Amino acid sequence: MILTPKPGVLDIAPYVGGRASVAGVADPIKLSSNESALGASPNALKAYEDAVKSVSIYPEGSAQILREAIGETYGLDPSRIVCGNGSNELLTLLANAYLRPGDEVLFSEYAFLVYRLAALSNSGVPVSAPEKNLRVDVDAMLARVSPKTRLVYLANPNNPTGTYLTSDEVRRLHAGLRPDTLLVIDAAYAEYVRMSDYENGMDMAARLPNVVMTRTFSKVYGLAGLRIGWAYCPAPVADVLHRVRDPFNVSIAAQCAAAAALRDKDYVGRCVEHNERWRAWLTDAIRKTGLVVVDSVGNFVLIRFPSASGKTAAEADRFLCERGLILRAVANYGLPDCLRLTVGPESANRKVAAALGEFMARAT
Ligand SMILES: Cc1ncc(COP(=O)(O)O)c(C=O)c1O
């Protein structure tokens, strides 16, 4: 007898984060992980430093100070908030708690990869629904709902496409699910979205017994390295997550920094403004080079490259890396002809647009 993991585990291709280095390039510009262009609020950094005094003490396990700060910011009931070691932890814990072997986990064709991992690591069956024009197709999702569907993950907006579903569409998706199917609305990029018809899932999670919304401090709040996310849940789901989470899953430094980041509303506002301005600028500048750029509401854009030799996404990736510019290849998402670009600081954005112009103009 040899030791083997649960069925599904060995089907997992381990998640690979965005590259951070290039051989032979001293200080590359990392635009591969949708991190904040402007970094964390100085108030958050100060709170982090102050928390050093408490490092010998276990943190309060339920992240009460952070749950209260989130509750105050959004007018939510802190008892229904669960914090996690990044929102990834919460997305996975939901699968750990609710999936039985053979249960189906539904998501869309180009959905965030973690949903598949969460399904497979619990011997669940990943089911993916085709998208239309790189947008989640609610009808295609509903057509794949079966008596075995237990979890439905929806990234809104989605990574890596940057497209979003409207409130009407998300509500229609929910209306087609049984009460014992959980809809998880992953709103990791919600703070960046300015569209009035956008659905971040907060009201739905507040009202409906089978909807959870997840959020993160890794994007607009600039705290990806500290690993903090949260979920707003129906009370029984919050109860379940508290049972299965690690007893001290959010460090004291992370709790304090995140609470301070949340309260620095001016800083968040400036980060959103920066994103709005430079996402539009990048979209326009890159389209002028002849490339296709998908309209995005997040802090990144998906760029589609031609199939002609000398102009492909893989060749562009190499060309950019040689110039110290790291984007994200998304072949593992089924998009081998695309690269994803995170909106960066002004100088980085200008360099990427110029380099892509050079790439498209060069003789091949
Ligand atoms: C759609 C989506 N959900 C969740 C996450 C995970 O974020 P966290 O850093 O909170 O684990 C990401 C990060 O890239 C994401 O793109």
Side-chain angles (χ1 to χ4, degrees):
M1 294 281 257
I2 54 165
L3 182 65
T4 50
K6 291 191 291 189
V9 171
L10 294 179
D11 298 329
I12 294 174
Y15 185 88
V16 181
R19 246 181 315 161
S21 62
V22 186
V25 179
D27 280 314
I29 298 172
K30 181 173 185 256
L31 301 166
S32 56
S33 295
N34 298 345
E35 290 143 341
S36 164
L38 303 181
S41 144
N43 296 357
L45 299 180
K46 168 85 171 49
Y48 179 79
E49 279 163 20
D50 290 348
V52 162
K53 294 174 214 127
S54 313
V55 293
S56 61
I57 310 293
Y58 277 104
E60 191 282 315
S62 76
Q64 190 178 343
I65 56 169
L66 180 53
R67 289 187 297 105
E68 282 173 2
I70 295 168
E72 174 193 307
T73 302
Y74 293 106
L76 298 177
D77 175 357
S79 75
R80 292 174 54 185
I81 296 168
V82 182
C83 296
N85 189 242
S87 54
N88 275 346
E89 183 192 25
L90 298 163
L91 296 167
T92 305
L93 285 178
L94 287 164
N96 297 352
Y98 286 99
L99 285 187
R100 286 127 183 115
D103 278 356
E104 292 177 4
V105 178
L106 178 61
F107 44 81
S108 72
E109 187 174 5
Y110 303 116
F112 186 47
L113 284 179
V114 164
Y115 312 152
R116 176 178 295 277
L117 307 195
L120 290 173
S121 58
N122 287 288
S123 307
V125 180
V127 176
S128 121
E131 298 195 5
K132 247 191 208 146
N133 298 324
L134 298 172
R135 262 187 104 240
V136 176
D137 177 351
V138 172
D139 292 318
M141 294 278 280
L142 290 175
R144 279 155 187 81
V145 170
S146 87
K148 290 188 166 176
T149 310
R150 177 76 53 212
L151 275 175
V152 179
Y153 287 109
L154 173 74
N156 204 27
N158 185 44
N159 165 25
T161 54
T163 56
Y164 75 101
L165 286 193
T166 65
S167 280
D168 287 350
E169 289 171 309
V170 180
R171 280 157 211 261
R172 196 157 68 79
L173 174 63
H174 174 262
L177 304 177
R178 292 185 319 273
D180 65 344
T181 300
L182 182 65
L183 173 63
V184 181
I185 302 175
D186 171 356
Y189 300 92
E191 294 84 358
Y192 291 113
V193 187
R194 292 252 178 107
M195 313 305 275
S196 56
D197 58 357
Y198 165 64
E199 176 63 61
N200 66 16
M202 198 176 292
D203 293 341
M204 290 178 72
R207 269 188 313 107
L208 299 163
N210 62 340
V211 177
V212 166
M213 172 195 66
T214 59
R215 303 285 284 260
T216 182
F217 283 91
S218 301
K219 307 300 171 188
V220 80
Y221 293 105
L223 297 173
L226 278 187
R227 313 300 305 123
I228 324 149
W230 57 281
Y232 198 56
C233 313
V237 178
D239 172 63
V240 163
L241 286 178
H242 280 301
R243 290 170 196 263
V244 295
R245 67 172 173 76
D246 181 278
F248 307 103
N249 61 337
V250 184
S251 74
I252 185 66
Q255 292 186 33
C256 293
L262 207 51
R263 292 190 169 114
D264 194 350
K265 296 202 170 75
D266 287 350
Y267 188 82
V268 180
R270 284 204 294 284
C271 293
V272 174
E273 283 303 327
H274 174 94
N275 188 64
E276 195 76 359
R277 171 169 175 220
W278 287 101
R279 185 185 60 219
W281 186 90
L282 280 166
T283 302
D284 192 44
I286 298 169
R287 281 181 182 159
K288 283 187 182 138
T289 71
L291 291 165
V292 174
V293 182
V294 179
D295 279 321
S296 166
V297 295
N299 68 334
F300 56 92
V301 289
L302 190 70
I303 309 169
R304 176 156 268 162
F305 289 79
S307 55
S309 162
K311 300 282 176 243
T312 66
E315 287 160 309
D317 199 18
R318 270 199 299 282
F319 182 91
L320 294 167
C321 274
E322 282 161 14
R323 284 151 185 79
L325 297 163
I326 309 179
L327 276 64
R328 181 68 156 264
V330 282
N332 55 342
Y333 279 90
L335 295 164
D337 55 345
C338 296
L339 294 178
R340 193 194 66 197
L341 164 67
T342 304
V343 175
E346 173 172 352
S347 61
N349 299 333
R350 291 191 185 279
K351 278 185 193 153
V352 174
L356 285 172
E358 215 188 302
F359 173 76
M360 289 302 285
R362 73 179 181 162
T364 49

